[in-house]
mmCIF file of all heavy atoms in Angstrom:
data_model
loop_
_atom_site.group_PDB
_atom_site.id
_atom_site.type_symbol
_atom_site.label_atom_id
_atom_site.label_comp_id
_atom_site.label_asym_id
_atom_site.label_seq_id
_atom_site.Cartn_x
_atom_site.Cartn_y
_atom_site.Cartn_z
ATOM 1 N N VAL A 275 65.915 173.631 86.187
ATOM 2 C CA VAL A 275 64.940 173.508 85.100
ATOM 3 C C VAL A 275 63.885 174.588 85.282
ATOM 4 O O VAL A 275 63.585 174.999 86.411
ATOM 5 C CB VAL A 275 64.259 172.110 85.055
ATOM 6 C CG1 VAL A 275 65.250 171.028 84.699
ATOM 7 C CG2 VAL A 275 63.566 171.795 86.363
ATOM 8 N N LEU A 276 63.348 175.024 84.179
ATOM 9 C CA LEU A 276 62.260 176.001 84.210
ATOM 10 C C LEU A 276 60.960 175.231 84.008
ATOM 11 O O LEU A 276 60.789 174.559 82.983
ATOM 12 C CB LEU A 276 62.447 177.034 83.101
ATOM 13 C CG LEU A 276 61.364 178.094 83.037
ATOM 14 C CD1 LEU A 276 61.586 179.144 84.115
ATOM 15 C CD2 LEU A 276 61.338 178.779 81.689
ATOM 16 N N VAL A 277 60.091 175.312 85.004
ATOM 17 C CA VAL A 277 58.798 174.626 84.923
ATOM 18 C C VAL A 277 57.818 175.587 84.258
ATOM 19 O O VAL A 277 57.418 176.591 84.847
ATOM 20 C CB VAL A 277 58.300 174.218 86.322
ATOM 21 C CG1 VAL A 277 57.047 173.351 86.191
ATOM 22 C CG2 VAL A 277 59.387 173.480 87.096
ATOM 23 N N GLU A 278 57.480 175.276 83.014
ATOM 24 C CA GLU A 278 56.668 176.210 82.211
ATOM 25 C C GLU A 278 55.344 176.523 82.878
ATOM 26 O O GLU A 278 54.605 175.623 83.291
ATOM 27 C CB GLU A 278 56.356 175.583 80.848
ATOM 28 C CG GLU A 278 57.416 175.789 79.825
ATOM 29 C CD GLU A 278 57.010 175.170 78.490
ATOM 30 O OE1 GLU A 278 55.821 174.925 78.247
ATOM 31 O OE2 GLU A 278 57.932 174.913 77.694
ATOM 32 N N GLY A 279 55.066 177.799 82.979
ATOM 33 C CA GLY A 279 53.744 178.243 83.424
ATOM 34 C C GLY A 279 53.501 178.120 84.908
ATOM 35 O O GLY A 279 52.435 178.511 85.390
ATOM 36 N N ALA A 280 54.473 177.575 85.683
ATOM 37 C CA ALA A 280 54.237 177.375 87.122
ATOM 38 C C ALA A 280 54.285 178.724 87.833
ATOM 39 O O ALA A 280 55.281 179.441 87.748
ATOM 40 C CB ALA A 280 55.268 176.416 87.704
ATOM 41 N N ARG A 281 53.209 179.068 88.504
ATOM 42 C CA ARG A 281 53.128 180.355 89.203
ATOM 43 C C ARG A 281 53.162 180.173 90.716
ATOM 44 O O ARG A 281 53.474 181.097 91.440
ATOM 45 C CB ARG A 281 51.817 181.070 88.851
ATOM 46 C CG ARG A 281 51.615 181.289 87.370
ATOM 47 C CD ARG A 281 52.181 182.635 86.914
ATOM 48 N NE ARG A 281 52.125 182.724 85.466
ATOM 49 C CZ ARG A 281 53.132 182.412 84.661
ATOM 50 N NH1 ARG A 281 54.294 182.015 85.155
ATOM 51 N NH2 ARG A 281 53.012 182.490 83.356
ATOM 52 N N ASP A 282 52.767 178.993 91.168
ATOM 53 C CA ASP A 282 52.689 178.766 92.609
ATOM 54 C C ASP A 282 53.043 177.303 92.859
ATOM 55 O O ASP A 282 52.179 176.473 93.111
ATOM 56 C CB ASP A 282 51.261 179.092 93.090
ATOM 57 C CG ASP A 282 51.176 179.069 94.599
ATOM 58 O OD1 ASP A 282 52.229 179.100 95.253
ATOM 59 O OD2 ASP A 282 50.039 179.001 95.115
ATOM 60 N N LEU A 283 54.320 177.028 92.775
ATOM 61 C CA LEU A 283 54.792 175.646 92.827
ATOM 62 C C LEU A 283 54.591 175.068 94.236
ATOM 63 O O LEU A 283 55.004 175.695 95.214
ATOM 64 C CB LEU A 283 56.283 175.646 92.474
ATOM 65 C CG LEU A 283 56.884 174.416 91.826
ATOM 66 C CD1 LEU A 283 56.191 174.077 90.521
ATOM 67 C CD2 LEU A 283 58.376 174.662 91.585
ATOM 68 N N PRO A 284 53.971 173.894 94.366
ATOM 69 C CA PRO A 284 53.918 173.271 95.694
ATOM 70 C C PRO A 284 55.307 172.786 96.087
ATOM 71 O O PRO A 284 56.202 172.715 95.242
ATOM 72 C CB PRO A 284 52.959 172.098 95.477
ATOM 73 C CG PRO A 284 53.038 171.795 94.023
ATOM 74 C CD PRO A 284 53.366 173.078 93.322
ATOM 75 N N ASP A 285 55.478 172.453 97.364
ATOM 76 C CA ASP A 285 56.765 171.902 97.794
ATOM 77 C C ASP A 285 57.021 170.599 97.039
ATOM 78 O O ASP A 285 56.179 169.706 97.050
ATOM 79 C CB ASP A 285 56.737 171.597 99.302
ATOM 80 C CG ASP A 285 56.969 172.866 100.095
ATOM 81 O OD1 ASP A 285 57.389 173.869 99.484
ATOM 82 O OD2 ASP A 285 56.718 172.850 101.307
ATOM 83 N N VAL A 286 58.132 170.523 96.372
ATOM 84 C CA VAL A 286 58.513 169.282 95.694
ATOM 85 C C VAL A 286 59.816 168.827 96.333
ATOM 86 O O VAL A 286 60.797 169.583 96.350
ATOM 87 C CB VAL A 286 58.717 169.507 94.175
ATOM 88 C CG1 VAL A 286 59.189 168.222 93.504
ATOM 89 C CG2 VAL A 286 57.430 170.012 93.529
ATOM 90 N N ALA A 287 59.807 167.620 96.909
ATOM 91 C CA ALA A 287 60.994 167.124 97.609
ATOM 92 C C ALA A 287 62.194 167.136 96.683
ATOM 93 O O ALA A 287 62.099 166.706 95.531
ATOM 94 C CB ALA A 287 60.734 165.710 98.114
ATOM 95 N N GLY A 288 63.295 167.673 97.180
ATOM 96 C CA GLY A 288 64.549 167.593 96.424
ATOM 97 C C GLY A 288 64.832 168.778 95.535
ATOM 98 O O GLY A 288 65.892 168.835 94.920
ATOM 99 N N VAL A 289 63.908 169.758 95.429
ATOM 100 C CA VAL A 289 64.220 170.899 94.569
ATOM 101 C C VAL A 289 64.605 172.111 95.421
ATOM 102 O O VAL A 289 64.143 172.277 96.544
ATOM 103 C CB VAL A 289 63.078 171.284 93.590
ATOM 104 C CG1 VAL A 289 62.610 170.103 92.787
ATOM 105 C CG2 VAL A 289 61.934 171.939 94.315
ATOM 106 N N ILE A 290 65.456 172.919 94.867
ATOM 107 C CA ILE A 290 65.931 174.118 95.563
ATOM 108 C C ILE A 290 65.181 175.321 94.998
ATOM 109 O O ILE A 290 65.228 175.582 93.795
ATOM 110 C CB ILE A 290 67.448 174.301 95.353
ATOM 111 C CG1 ILE A 290 68.213 173.085 95.883
ATOM 112 C CG2 ILE A 290 67.932 175.584 96.028
ATOM 113 C CD1 ILE A 290 69.702 173.111 95.561
#
Side-chain angles (χ1 to χ4, degrees):
V275 294
L276 180 78
V277 187
E278 275 182 20
R281 304 269 172 265
D282 188 16
L283 208 58
D285 280 347
V286 177
V289 308
I290 301 173

